[in-house]
Amino acid sequence: MNENSCSFHNEKELRDGQVESVSAGCPPPCDEDNSALLAFSGIPLPLQISELKNHGILQALTAEANGWEPAVMNTEVLRAQEEWEAVDSIQPETGSRASSDQPGQLISFSEALQHFQTVDLSSFKKRIQPTIRRTGLAALRHCLFGPPKLHQGLREERDLVLTIAQCGLDSQDPMHGRVLQTIYKKLTGSKFDCALHGDHWEDLGFQGTNPATDLRGAGFLALLHLLYLVMDSKTLLMAQEIFRLSRHHIQQFPFCLMSVNITRITIQALREECLSRECNRQQKVIPVVNSFYAAAFLRLAHVWRTQHKTISDSGFVLRDLEVLAKKSPRRLLKTLEIYLAGVSKGQASLLGAQKCAGPQAPPSKDLTFTGVCDLPPHSSEGTWLI
């Protein structure tokens, strides 16, 4: 009995000794976590936080686990966790141009037009003169032989067009910025936004670094016309061809300034009721005005290329274009229809782009451009900077 008892106690002591030795060789759970934390001590803080999250240690240290609460690392780890969780809430600084309208997104003509249809333009509308005032024989001649008057139901749409022409470019308006960005991207093929002021606007044919200074006499309607030109798949091809012609090493001209002048001609044709017949026929004003603008630009480009015009001829070419446009608007519109039909069928352009190909000169800042507002009535000579 004593031998058995001794044997039992010896075996128990042996087992207890093995358990104690095993326990002595293994650190407690908290030591294991501490050793893991020490392993990250040489890593930069952001990487430490990431690794701690990946290993589940951060969560373990910031919550009670089996009644154990870390004493030394608790405050530091909590602070690290707060910094990590704050990363997702940090927003990039975008400056004054930030808006919910996403300035980097292209804008369509209809979206830009809708903007003007919904905002209050009453202060600008007061400035418009819808029609030319005629007196004496001029009024009698216009009454007897002139174009028909615009239908009453279309006059509000006409007034909207003329009111937009009174609006300037506001760099603080996100929609205005998107219109500029869209024009720039479509003409240059760039996928990136550009600054609203800078030398890159001179590359497009504005006279200075701020497009707003070149809209005299046409207002924001000039930019809407450019937007219309580049956002329609058919007229975009025409716009790109004219843009290439404007960069010809000999026949170069400021593309956007020329466009602004054609918008001026369009405004005058509308006010002089030259477009009334076509507007009455289509029961629309804005589509007719847009088509007339595009047709006039197409005509100018055709004359410019085929007659080998240069920048010194700009004022005279625009003056002749204005006379033709007011006298035969239907002829211009028909030419545009033929061109667009050819584009849809994949036929060669009326501009003969293959003949325009050649060295392209960088836009010259020394070009002297004459616009339609710069030549006195019935003048046939003279050149002034717009």
Side-chain angles (χ1 to χ4, degrees):
M1 183 67 179
N2 290 337
E3 292 179 0
N4 292 339
S5 176
C6 289
S7 176
F8 172 78
H9 285 292
N10 289 338
E11 291 177 2
K12 184 176 184 300
E13 290 174 358
L14 180 60
R15 286 197 302 269
D16 292 341
Q18 290 175 346
V19 171
E20 289 177 1
S21 64
V22 171
S23 300
C26 295
C30 61
D31 291 339
E32 183 177 333
D33 289 337
N34 287 333
S35 63
L37 287 172
L38 290 173
F40 294 118
S41 60
I43 305 176
L45 181 58
L47 294 180
Q48 288 182 33
I49 300 171
S50 177
E51 291 298 322
L52 288 171
K53 272 188 168 277
N54 291 339
H55 288 79
I57 299 174
L58 193 58
Q59 292 82 352
L61 291 175
T62 56
E64 293 184 5
N66 297 325
W68 174 73
E69 298 181 5
V72 178
M73 298 296 295
N74 187 38
T75 303
E76 183 177 350
V77 171
L78 281 174
R79 181 177 59 82
Q81 184 181 25
E82 290 173 358
E83 291 178 0
W84 175 265
E85 292 174 348
V87 170
D88 292 338
S89 64
I90 296 175
Q91 300 296 328
E93 184 67 31
T94 54
S96 60
R97 295 183 188 175
S99 74
S100 58
D101 289 330
Q102 299 179 355
Q105 199 172 29
L106 298 181
I107 186 172
S108 66
F109 174 84
S110 59
E111 185 181 352
L113 178 62
Q114 186 178 17
H115 171 82
F116 285 102
Q117 291 172 329
T118 55
V119 298
D120 181 17
L121 300 176
S122 56
S123 60
F124 297 102
K125 190 173 183 178
K126 294 176 182 178
R127 307 175 189 173
I128 70 171
Q129 185 180 343
T131 57
I132 298 295
R133 294 176 183 174
R134 297 178 176 87
T135 59
L137 291 177
L140 179 61
R141 184 170 58 250
H142 182 78
C143 181
L144 295 175
F145 307 107
K149 291 187 176 296
L150 189 67
H151 290 169
Q152 184 69 35
L154 299 176
R155 293 178 185 178
E156 183 177 350
E157 189 176 353
R158 174 203 61 192
D159 291 351
L160 175 62
V161 173
L162 298 176
T163 301
I164 294 174
Q166 292 293 323
C167 299
L169 172 62
D170 182 3
S171 60
Q172 301 301 315
D173 190 323
M175 188 280 296
H176 290 208
R178 288 178 62 195
V179 169
L180 279 178
Q181 298 286 359
T182 300
I183 293 170
Y184 180 83
K185 290 178 180 178
K186 283 291 187 176
L187 286 177
T188 64
S190 173
K191 297 184 181 300
F192 303 100
D193 284 351
C194 62
L196 298 184
H197 298 162
D199 293 343
H200 49 280
W201 294 112
E202 295 179 357
D203 295 340
L204 261 62
F206 285 104
Q207 188 165 282
T209 59
N210 181 7
T213 61
D214 291 330
L215 304 182
R216 178 168 56 93
F220 203 86
L221 184 63
L223 296 180
L224 277 190
H225 277 165
L226 277 171
L227 182 67
Y228 160 77
L229 206 63
V230 300
M231 286 305 287
D232 184 277
S233 58
K234 295 178 181 178
T235 54
L236 172 61
L237 177 62
M238 184 183 83
Q240 291 172 337
E241 286 189 282
I242 299 175
F243 184 58
R244 285 197 296 271
L245 175 63
S246 74
R247 298 172 67 85
H248 190 273
H249 66 293
I250 295 175
Q251 294 184 272
Q252 61 177 313
F253 60 86
F255 175 84
C256 287
L257 274 184
M258 194 71 81
S259 174
V260 171
N261 276 270
I262 294 175
T263 296
R264 291 174 183 165
I265 293 174
T266 303
I267 293 171
Q268 283 302 106
L270 181 63
R271 294 180 65 238
E272 293 180 21
E273 301 178 289
C274 301
L275 305 181
S276 296
R277 189 186 307 277
E278 190 63 25
C279 290
N280 291 342
R281 188 181 72 82
Q282 296 190 25
Q283 286 298 298
K284 298 175 182 177
V285 175
I286 293 176
V288 173
V289 168
N290 289 345
S291 296
F292 181 85
Y293 155 82
F297 212 163
L298 180 65
R299 171 68 182 178
L300 180 140
H302 178 74
V303 169
W304 198 273
R305 183 188 66 80
T306 58
Q307 298 183 19
H308 308 287
K309 300 297 184 181
T310 63
I311 191 64
S312 61
D313 302 311
S314 58
F316 313 112
V317 173
L318 284 167
R319 178 65 72 193
D320 291 344
L321 176 64
E322 183 177 12
V323 173
L324 173 64
K326 293 177 180 179
K327 183 179 179 180
S328 306
R330 182 57 192 159
R331 176 182 170 187
L332 279 183
L333 293 172
K334 187 63 178 178
T335 301
L336 180 66
E337 290 176 9
I338 295 173
Y339 171 82
L340 295 181
V343 170
S344 62
K345 295 178 182 178
Q347 297 176 354
S349 165
L350 292 178
L351 291 179
Q354 67 279 4
K355 296 182 181 180
C356 297
Q360 288 192 348
S364 174
K365 298 183 180 181
D366 300 324
L367 291 178
T368 303
F369 179 80
T370 308
V372 293
C373 295
D374 301 312
L375 289 177
H378 309 299
S379 173
S380 60
E381 62 181 7
T383 300
W384 297 271
L385 194 65
I386 191 172

